[in-house]
Amino acid sequence: MAKVKHEAAWYPLESGETVLDGLLRQGVSVPHACRAGACQSCLMRAVEGTVPAVAQVGLKDTLQARNYFLACACRLPDGAALEVAGARELRIPARIVALESLSPDVLSVRLETESPLSYRAGQYVTVVREDGLARSYSLASLPRESTLELHVRLIPGGAMSGWLARDVRPGERVEVQGPAGDCFYVPGQPEAPLLLAGTGTGLAPLYGIVRDALEAGHTGPIHLFHGAREPAGLYLVERLREWAAWHPNLHYQPTVLAGGGGDVREGALEALVLATVPKRPTGWRAYLCGNAEGVLSLRKKLFLAGFSLKDIHADAFLPSTSPAGRVAGAA
């Protein structure tokens, strides 16, 4: 049996149990969300002991060097002991300054941090509430702006989204951890065609990436696809239509599975995206965000269609979880 020391107390771990699951099982509050090593909200720091290499996969070199690891991915061998601390030093105090409904189930949340956050549009941050509840959201804002903009999907029974929709008023204090993620625009090759596809609040990072590319003077075609089940699931439609009218190289295509009409195409997002890709997509770059199953499927098909894997930037949204297992998503 392995054991973990946290805040002066030792906690036994069952064989094969992760540090996160073991601590949660014994009543220790640890910020967490996806439990799959993607959101990085469960970051902890090893004070004494050896961290398995797999628990640091995907972390920046600077974090690895400081002994940070993902508690959800850390399984200790029997007999091992590890002393850990939280990641509070990585968080920036912030306050919520504005809330705006973008659609019946999407809320724009703007945060003002006490100190500057260095990030790229399209990356994501983890918002941590005072009681330790944590959720990760992509950034729709640009670094030059004074606030961070998040698009929060409102989920029935969602702990974080329900709190934001019902109880929060401007001035509410939270903490922000991050940024993380490689889904962002990189200047250079301004003539390269860009393909952006997302579902639901997967639009948030794409919205930021489009703005970043246009402000950087990108001249190549930018194809933006946003999908939903029905028209009510789309948002920022008029604003994106205006952008497309102002920028001849921006091609915006809202899509739904049912109820399309006018410029809102009806059909599977994946099929519409693949129909846009030429037979030899040399130099194309793709950004895929939203539902994990859809993102991974489209990523595979774009690769088979000729995209280089290094040119496919994917941000699959994973659901948040409870100690008992998976529940509704980033809520």
Side-chain angles (χ1 to χ4, degrees), residues 120-123 139-142 182-186 194 196 203-215 222 287-289 313:
R120 300 297 300 269
Q123 290 188 294
L139 291 159
S141 49
L142 297 181
D182 299 317
C183 199
F184 54 84
Y185 177 76
V186 177
L194 305 182
L196 302 94
L203 177 64
L206 303 182
Y207 180 82
I209 291 168
V210 167
R211 295 176 66 204
D212 203 9
L214 291 174
E215 288 201 6
I222 303 173
Y287 300 87
L288 316 176
C289 302
H313 308 278

Side-chain angles (χ1 to χ4, degrees), residues 237-261:
V237 176
E238 292 306 318
R239 189 177 306 176
L240 291 168
R241 284 171 176 158
E242 289 179 358
W243 289 3
W246 295 337
H247 301 278
N249 63 323
L250 175 59
H251 310 283
Y252 165 56
Q253 182 58 70
T255 70
V256 293
L257 292 177

Side-chain angles (χ1 to χ4, degrees), residues 199 289-299 315-319:
T199 55
C289 302
N291 172 271
E293 183 179 352
V295 165
L296 296 177
S297 174
L298 185 52
R299 180 176 183 269
D315 187 2
F317 289 8
L318 297 174

Side-chain angles (χ1 to χ4, degrees), residues 13 15 17 100 114 117 252 254 313 320:
L13 299 180
S15 181
E17 187 175 41
E100 178 189 0
E114 286 190 3
L117 177 71
Y252 165 56
H313 308 278
S320 59

Side-chain angles (χ1 to χ4, degrees), residues 128-144:
V128 185
R129 206 167 64 178
E130 186 178 7
D131 63 358
L133 181 71
R135 295 291 183 266
S136 297
Y137 301 105
S138 294
L139 291 159
S141 49
L142 297 181
R144 64 170 176 76

Side-chain angles (χ1 to χ4, degrees), residues 67-286:
N67 293 324
Y68 279 96
F69 67 96
L70 297 166
C72 70
C74 185
R75 291 178 171 84
L76 300 177
D78 288 345
L82 187 66
E83 183 178 350
V84 302
R88 193 126 206 174
E89 66 179 40
L90 299 179
R91 300 180 199 157
I92 299 175
R95 64 187 184 95
I96 297 171
V97 295
L99 300 162
E100 178 189 0
S101 176
L102 300 180
S103 77
D105 63 353
V106 177
L107 182 69
S108 169
V109 178
R110 286 194 175 271
L111 306 174
E112 186 178 81
T113 56
E114 286 190 3
S115 57
L117 177 71
S118 178
Y119 73 94
R120 300 297 300 269
Q123 290 188 294
Y124 60 89
V125 295
T126 297
V127 176
V128 185
R129 206 167 64 178
E130 186 178 7
D131 63 358
L133 181 71
R135 295 291 183 266
S136 297
Y137 301 105
S138 294
L139 291 159
S141 49
L142 297 181
R144 64 170 176 76
E145 297 175 321
S146 60
T147 59
L148 308 179
E149 182 181 4
L150 316 174
H151 296 172
V152 177
R153 184 164 67 100
L154 303 179
I155 299 174
M160 183 71 85
S161 67
W163 176 70
L164 289 167
R166 293 188 311 268
D167 305 325
V168 168
R169 297 292 180 271
E172 186 82 37
R173 293 282 178 174
V174 293
E175 291 181 313
V176 173
Q177 181 176 307
D182 299 317
C183 199
F184 54 84
Y185 177 76
V186 177
Q189 296 181 311
E191 74 291 343
L194 305 182
L195 176 64
L196 302 94
T199 55
T201 51
L203 177 64
L206 303 182
Y207 180 82
I209 291 168
V210 167
R211 295 176 66 204
D212 203 9
L214 291 174
E215 288 201 6
H218 195 87
T219 57
I222 303 173
H223 300 273
L224 172 61
F225 292 84
H226 183 215
R229 292 183 182 277
E230 54 191 24
L234 299 171
Y235 66 97
L236 293 177
V237 176
E238 292 306 318
R239 189 177 306 176
L240 291 168
R241 284 171 176 158
E242 289 179 358
W243 289 3
W246 295 337
H247 301 278
N249 63 323
L250 175 59
H251 310 283
Y252 165 56
Q253 182 58 70
T255 70
V256 293
L257 292 177
D263 69 341
V264 178
R265 293 282 301 276
E266 185 171 301
L269 176 71
E270 187 176 272
L272 295 173
V273 170
L274 292 172
T276 302
V277 177
K279 289 184 177 180
R280 292 183 177 82
T282 304
W284 281 59
R285 283 184 271 169

